[in-house]
Amino acid sequence: MSARFEELDFQPTSMGDLTLRRRVEPTLGVDVFEVKLGEEFLMSSLFTVAEEELANLGLAAVEATNLDVLVGGLGLGYTAVAALADDRVRSLTVIDTLPAVIDWHLRGLLPVSAALTEDPRTALVLDDFFGLMRRPPDAASVRYDAILLDVDHSPRHQLDPSHADLYTSSGMEAVSLHLQADGVFALWSDDPPDEEFLTRASGVFAAVQAHVVDFDNPLTGGTSSNTVYVATMR
């Protein structure tokens, strides 16, 4: 018996057709929300552990209080909501370059949309995260206590070639300018730890660690893993 899908939204974008759909996972009997870009799966609500750990591990490395946090990539919203669970977070700015993704949450289409949009600390901003990082901050710019990024598949595999410069040494330096002196940059990756990227990031940040996050995969009956990089300024 084939899975039946309900298409919740379809939008053409500069990177391909963006689709949000819902289906019932027959092995678990639960609703699953999935995002596709063209024929490529971007994310699924079946697999949110590493997205949540991006926030948990990143914020755990911050020693300050009254945190201003920037999330690059809204997606299904799990990283942002996990960040809001930290009582130290004073403001949470979530940037996404796709109007449709922000609209999904404003329309309450996803399981965590209400928790995200009804929290007064949250600001959903339509912008290009990578373009923002390239622009040197001025005196009026916010320096963030933590920047959490989940857009590309990994430092080596980007959704758009224009993102590649962020993962270079100069790109990491540009990110660091948007952080407080004791700030933290955390990055989600679908690949195993990348030693070349660790070396580049270590040339900019005082300490960089790659955390391997394992999680149960009900589709394979086994365990899958992602990587969360945590780089600290201090």
Side-chain angles (χ1 to χ4, degrees), residues 143-159:
R143 263 63 167 193
Y144 295 96
D145 298 285
I147 296 176
L148 315 174
L149 177 60
D150 178 6
V151 172
D152 294 313
H153 296 303
S154 74
R156 292 178 182 265
H157 302 108
Q158 300 94 32
L159 287 181

Side-chain angles (χ1 to χ4, degrees), residues 57-78:
L57 291 167
L59 295 184
V62 182
E63 295 180 354
T65 57
N66 297 320
L67 306 182
D68 297 312
V69 178
L70 174 65
V71 175
L74 173 56
L76 299 179
Y78 288 95

Side-chain angles (χ1 to χ4, degrees), residues 15-222:
M15 293 186 288
D17 293 333
L18 185 71
T19 307
L20 173 65
R21 65 187 195 179
R22 177 173 58 199
R23 67 179 176 86
V24 174
E25 171 52 46
T27 61
L28 301 174
V30 298
D31 281 345
V32 176
F33 294 80
E34 297 173 328
V35 179
K36 292 183 68 179
L37 186 62
E39 294 304 312
E40 186 174 14
F41 281 95
L42 291 188
M43 58 197 76
S44 167
S45 62
L46 267 182
F47 311 111
T48 64
V49 172
E51 285 82 354
E52 293 164 339
E53 283 300 285
L54 171 61
N56 296 337
L57 291 167
L59 295 184
V62 182
E63 295 180 354
T65 57
N66 297 320
L67 306 182
D68 297 312
V69 178
L70 174 65
V71 175
L74 173 56
L76 299 179
Y78 288 95
T79 296
V81 169
L84 289 171
D86 192 318
D87 292 337
R88 297 175 299 156
V89 173
R90 170 173 61 188
S91 72
L92 179 74
T93 302
V94 188
I95 290 180
D96 205 286
T97 191
L98 298 173
V101 176
I102 293 176
D103 185 57
W104 296 342
H105 289 281
L106 295 177
R107 291 161 60 193
L109 295 182
L110 292 159
V112 302
S113 293
L116 182 61
T117 60
E118 293 175 7
D119 194 307
R121 296 172 292 171
T122 302
L124 304 182
V125 177
L126 180 64
D127 201 353
D128 175 10
F129 173 86
F130 299 87
L132 174 63
M133 291 298 103
R134 293 185 195 106
R135 298 193 293 270
D138 57 28
S141 300
V142 176
R143 263 63 167 193
Y144 295 96
D145 298 285
I147 296 176
L148 315 174
L149 177 60
D150 178 6
V151 172
D152 294 313
H153 296 303
S154 74
R156 292 178 182 265
H157 302 108
Q158 300 94 32
L159 287 181
D160 189 282
S162 67
H163 300 174
D165 64 318
L166 184 125
Y167 306 103
T168 65
S169 296
S170 60
M172 291 290 98
E173 184 67 40
V175 170
S176 73
L177 297 178
H178 292 268
L179 288 167
Q180 295 282 3
D182 57 351
V184 170
F185 171 60
L187 170 69
W188 176 91
S189 172
D190 194 33
D191 289 348
D194 185 325
E195 293 300 327
E196 289 186 14
F197 175 71
L198 282 166
T199 298
R200 289 196 298 272
S202 295
V204 174
F205 294 92
V208 184
Q209 187 173 358
H211 300 267
V212 176
V213 179
D214 295 325
F215 53 91
D216 293 333
N217 187 330
L219 300 183
T220 65

